[in-house]
Amino acid sequence: MTSKNTSTRLLLALWDLGGTQQEVKKGQLTKRIVAKSQKVADYQSIFEELQKQGAIAISKKGYSLTSPKGLEVLGKGLRSGKFKFEGTIVGTWAANALVKWISQIDVAVSGADVPVNGKGALAELSKGIASYDEFKSVALEVYDKLNYEYNFNNLVPIYRIRRVIGDRVSRTEFNDWLLETQANDILQLQGGTVEDNAPDKIEDSITTVLDGLRCYAKLLKA
């Protein structure tokens, strides 16, 4: 089992299972990556190394792919020229995941479409958001992508928008700028609660002194 290939395959599976937006259950991930002749314990060192790199987060229940670091490591692995699937049979999920990655790569990097100065588009994921106008553009693109892919019926969970944007903006700036989109009648932030009332999802929503907890964003105008 080649460590680099296995790490990239693991990250690809986690990404395909929606690991950037939600925690993926351990059994759901290992079902994809652990062959019949292997054991979950065979992957322990790889999970630990990816966690050490900051590419994934591990809890008692599952795994999540961190943004932007996890996407950077995955993109680098796929572009290395050395990545390949081992064995004679490639799972359908892997082929479909690669097609999905290729088709969505521009969206995943929030509009970074072509290499600049020899750097791949995924390098843009590490670039911070410096202004409200830039944040508005990125947030609306993420909103449209999530609304389309998950059929949210125009009520997109705020915690998902926050997690896709990730470390490109601080938590305070995210809160302030998202509230500014509401003040400008672009997005309307609505109450309610998140699915399963998970504390981490509520924390990644927005709470204001006047309006209380806001969990969903609704597009009013572009």
Side-chain angles (χ1 to χ4, degrees):
M1 183 169 61
T2 305
S3 178
K4 289 293 183 181
N5 277 343
T6 305
S7 295
T8 302
R9 188 163 61 91
L10 187 156
L11 292 173
L12 181 63
L14 189 54
W15 173 80
D16 186 48
L17 289 167
T20 55
Q21 286 90 37
Q22 61 190 358
E23 188 174 73
V24 176
K25 293 181 180 180
K26 290 186 174 181
Q28 192 177 6
L29 178 62
T30 56
K31 182 179 179 180
R32 283 197 174 187
I33 64 172
V34 180
K36 292 182 179 180
S37 60
Q38 299 172 336
K39 299 179 181 178
V40 176
D42 297 334
Y43 289 76
Q44 186 61 33
S45 62
I46 294 174
F47 278 114
E48 292 175 353
E49 178 60 28
L50 289 173
Q51 184 182 40
K52 184 178 179 180
Q53 291 179 40
I56 66 172
I58 303 176
S59 73
K60 292 182 179 180
K61 295 183 178 180
Y63 310 97
S64 55
L65 184 66
T66 60
S67 177
K69 185 62 177 180
L71 290 172
E72 290 176 359
V73 175
L74 172 56
K76 184 178 179 180
L78 292 173
R79 298 194 310 271
S80 68
K82 298 180 180 179
F83 174 72
K84 63 180 180 179
F85 290 104
E86 299 170 348
T88 57
I89 299 177
V90 177
T92 301
W93 76 262
N96 289 337
L98 283 173
V99 171
K100 179 181 174 182
W101 174 269
I102 293 169
S103 66
Q104 295 185 9
I105 186 170
D106 289 340
V107 177
V109 298
S110 300
D113 50 4
V114 294
V116 178
N117 296 330
K119 296 181 179 180
L122 283 175
E124 289 294 316
L125 280 170
S126 62
K127 182 180 178 182
I129 296 173
S131 68
Y132 163 72
D133 286 337
E134 184 181 358
F135 172 83
K136 179 180 68 174
S137 176
V138 172
L140 290 177
E141 186 170 0
V142 170
Y143 175 98
D144 287 340
K145 177 178 182 290
L146 291 173
N147 190 47
Y148 174 77
E149 289 188 350
Y150 294 94
N151 194 26
F152 283 131
N153 196 27
N154 300 317
L155 283 177
V156 178
I158 291 172
Y159 81 88
R160 292 208 173 196
I161 299 174
R162 186 192 297 272
R163 292 180 182 183
V164 172
I165 294 176
D167 295 334
R168 297 184 65 192
V169 63
S170 70
R171 293 186 67 86
T172 299
E173 287 174 330
F174 179 93
N175 294 347
D176 291 345
W177 285 337
L178 196 66
L179 287 170
E180 191 169 346
T181 66
Q182 178 171 252
N184 293 330
D185 294 327
I186 298 169
L187 290 174
Q188 182 182 53
L189 309 184
Q190 300 190 6
T193 188
V194 297
E195 68 271 24
D196 67 27
N197 290 314
D200 61 320
K201 296 176 183 177
I202 293 175
E203 183 179 359
D204 283 345
S205 300
I206 286 182
T207 301
T208 65
V209 175
L210 295 177
D211 299 327
L213 181 64
R214 308 283 93 177
C215 292
Y216 298 92
K218 181 178 181 179
L219 181 65
L220 298 178
K221 68 178 183 179

